[in-house]
Amino acid sequence: MHLRNDKRQNVQGELDFSSPPAGEAREARREETESSSAMHDPESPASTNRWMEEICERENLKQALQQVKANKGSAGVDGMTVGGITDYLKQHWLAIREQLLSGTYEPKPVRRVEIPKPDGGVRKLGIPTVLDRLIQQAVMQVLQRQWDSTFSDHSYGFRPGRSAHQAVAQAQQYIAAGYGWVIDLDLEKFFDRVNHDKLMGQIAKRVEDKRLLKLIRAFLNAGVMENGLVSPSVEGTPQGGPLSPLLSNLVLDELDRELERRGHRYVRYADDSNIYVRSKRAGQRVMASITRFITQKLKLKVNETKSAVARPQERKFLGFSFTDGPEIKRTIAPKALERFKHRIREVTLRAKGVSLETTIAELASYLRGWRSYFGFCETPYVLIQLTRWVRLRLRAAMWRQWKTPRRRRAALLELGVRPRLANNTAGSGLGPWYLARAKALSVGLSNAHFTSLGLPTLIDGC
C-alpha cells in the first residue's frame, strides 16, 4: 500500500494510494489465506486484530481523503489546510503508513476553538490537523462498517441511512400512540466527560488489533493547544474529529441496551435521549432510575437544569416540537424560530450599502439549508409566514438603503411603480417596517422580483 511515485500519479495530479510491492503483497496474501475462514466472521479474533491493514487499504483511504476534502474545515495546530494535504501525502505517505502499521503514529494536539451557542455561552471544539482528520476518517469508516449493525434500532445519530428526521418521526409515533409524557435527558458536557479507560475497555471488547487500540488511545490523549500551550486530555472524546460521533454511539450503546432491557419506548440521537411514558408519575420514576444508571454505570452526568419530565409539546427535540390535540403534528420549536429570525435580521441589517443581489445571495444558501431540514414540519402556515417575513425584511432594508425621498422615488420608478404611487410613498414619513407593507414596495419589490434574483421560498407556491 505504498504511494505511487511521481511517474505513476494520474494525469490530474490527484493522490493515488497503490498496492504494496510484489514481495509484500505475496506475504499479505499468504497471511490472508491462512486466516480466510476467520476473516468471514466479523467478530473473530483473526479479523479484529488485522484492522490496521484494512484502514490502510487503498479504497478506504481514497474515500477518507475525499470526505475530508468535502468537509473542508480549518487548519489544525500545524497550519496545514485541506488544500495542502494531497501534496503532503505524496511526499510523506510511505512513512505515515509505516507508522500506522507499526503502531508508532502519534497524533498532534487539537487546536481549541470556541463556538457561540444559540442560547448563550460557548461550545469548545477541538480541531485536529488535516492529516489526523484523514486518519480518523479512515479508522471511522472501517469501525463503522463493523459496528453499525450491532447498535440499537433506537439510535439515529451519525449512522448510515439514519437521520434526525427519522428520530423525530419515531418520537411522533410514540406520542400518537398515547405515550404523552417525555423524559428529556440532557447529558452535561457529554463529549468532554467520557471516561477514557471505560471507553477503551468497550473498544477492546470489539477490537483485538493492538495497533488500532493504541492509535485510538493516542487520539484520546492527544491534548489540546490553547494560546500556544498544550494541555493533556484526561477525559472526553476527540470532539471536532470524524471519530468522535462513532465513539459517542459506542459509549451510549450501553444506555440503549439498558433502556431496551426495561422495555422503554425511546429515541436517541447522539447524546439527545427522549423516553416516552404514559404518565407523569411514571416519568419521574424513570428519570430517577435512569439518572442513577447514567451516573453510576456510565460515569456521566445528567444536566438536571436542562433535563425534565414534561409534555412533549413543552419540549424541543432536534429543533422540532409537537402540536397538542387529537392529531399530533410536527412543528418547529420556538427556539429554532428565534434563531432563524435572528440570522435573517443579522443579514438584512448588514444590507446597508450592499446591493440587493448580494444580500439575497447571502440569504439563499441559509434558506435552502433551513428549508431542507425544517421543511419536515407539518405546519405549512408557519413556513408561509416566515417566507413573507423575509421579504418584508428585504423591502425594509432597501427602503433604508435608498435614504432620501428623491432616491426612493427614482428607485421605485425604476422598478416599474406608477409615478403617482411612487411620489406618495417616497414622501411618506412612516418607518421602513411599516412601508415594507406598502403597495409601492409590494409592486416594485414583488415576490416574482425576489424569485428572479434567486431568493428561495421555504415552501412551494408561496
Side-chain angles (χ1 to χ4, degrees), residues 105-126:
Y105 181 84
E106 295 185 4
K108 288 184 168 59
V110 299
R111 181 168 66 86
R112 174 71 81 206
V113 295
E114 294 184 346
I115 307 297
K117 290 184 178 180
D119 53 354
V122 295
R123 176 180 287 109
K124 291 188 174 183
L125 292 181

Side-chain angles (χ1 to χ4, degrees), residues 42-43 48-49 51 55 139 143 146-147 151 194-220 236-238 243-244 246-251 253-254:
E43 297 300 323
T48 62
N49 66 18
W51 277 357
I55 288 164
V139 171
L143 294 183
Q146 299 290 341
W147 293 354
F151 290 151
V194 172
N195 183 282
H196 285 180
D197 291 336
K198 185 170 179 58
L199 172 57
M200 289 306 304
Q202 288 177 278
I203 297 172
K205 293 176 183 176
R206 296 167 175 254
V207 175
E208 291 198 356
D209 191 326
K210 290 182 171 55
R211 299 164 300 173
L212 179 53
L213 292 172
K214 184 179 178 182
L215 178 63
I216 295 174
R217 172 73 82 167
F219 277 123
L220 293 174
T237 61
L243 195 53
S244 183
L246 179 64
L247 296 183
S248 73
N249 275 333
L250 180 61
V251 169
D253 188 59
E254 195 171 347

Side-chain angles (χ1 to χ4, degrees), residues 231-275:
S231 304
S233 304
V234 294
E235 61 181 1
T237 61
Q239 192 175 2
L243 195 53
S244 183
L246 179 64
L247 296 183
S248 73
N249 275 333
L250 180 61
V251 169
L252 292 174
D253 188 59
E254 195 171 347
L255 173 62
D256 292 341
R257 299 308 172 191
E258 179 65 16
L259 293 172
E260 288 177 351
R261 187 185 68 79
R262 298 185 186 191
H264 286 308
R265 288 148 182 84
Y266 79 98
V267 181
R268 182 175 68 78
Y269 190 95
D271 57 331
D272 283 336
S273 298
N274 278 9
I275 308 167

Side-chain angles (χ1 to χ4, degrees), residues 134-168:
L134 170 67
I135 294 170
Q136 281 194 38
Q137 179 69 30
V139 171
M140 186 278 291
Q141 289 168 181
V142 170
L143 294 183
Q144 189 170 65
R145 286 196 291 268
Q146 299 290 341
W147 293 354
D148 190 73
S149 62
T150 72
F151 290 151
S152 169
D153 287 341
H154 299 270
S155 167
Y156 291 87
F158 307 107
R159 296 182 60 190
R162 289 174 166 258
S163 68
H165 286 171
Q166 291 174 339
V168 172

Side-chain angles (χ1 to χ4, degrees), residues 1 37 52 78 85 106 124 174 200 221 256 276 377 405:
M1 197 143 341
S37 60
M52 282 305 302
D78 61 357
I85 186 65
E106 295 185 4
K124 291 188 174 183
Y174 288 144
M200 289 306 304
N221 296 338
D256 292 341
Y276 295 88
C377 76

Side-chain angles (χ1 to χ4, degrees), residues 351-396:
K352 188 176 182 180
V354 177
S355 71
L356 181 59
E357 289 82 356
T358 300
T359 302
I360 286 177
E362 187 175 355
L363 287 173
S365 60
Y366 177 72
L367 292 173
R368 281 193 290 267
W370 202 88
R371 172 178 172 161
S372 176
Y373 187 76
F374 286 104
F376 188 61
C377 76
E378 295 174 312
T379 48
Y381 62 90
V382 175
L383 301 177
I384 292 171
Q385 290 173 345
L386 288 176
T387 299
R388 291 172 178 172
W389 182 81
V390 170
R391 292 175 185 142
L392 288 174
R393 291 289 310 177
L394 286 169
R395 289 174 185 136

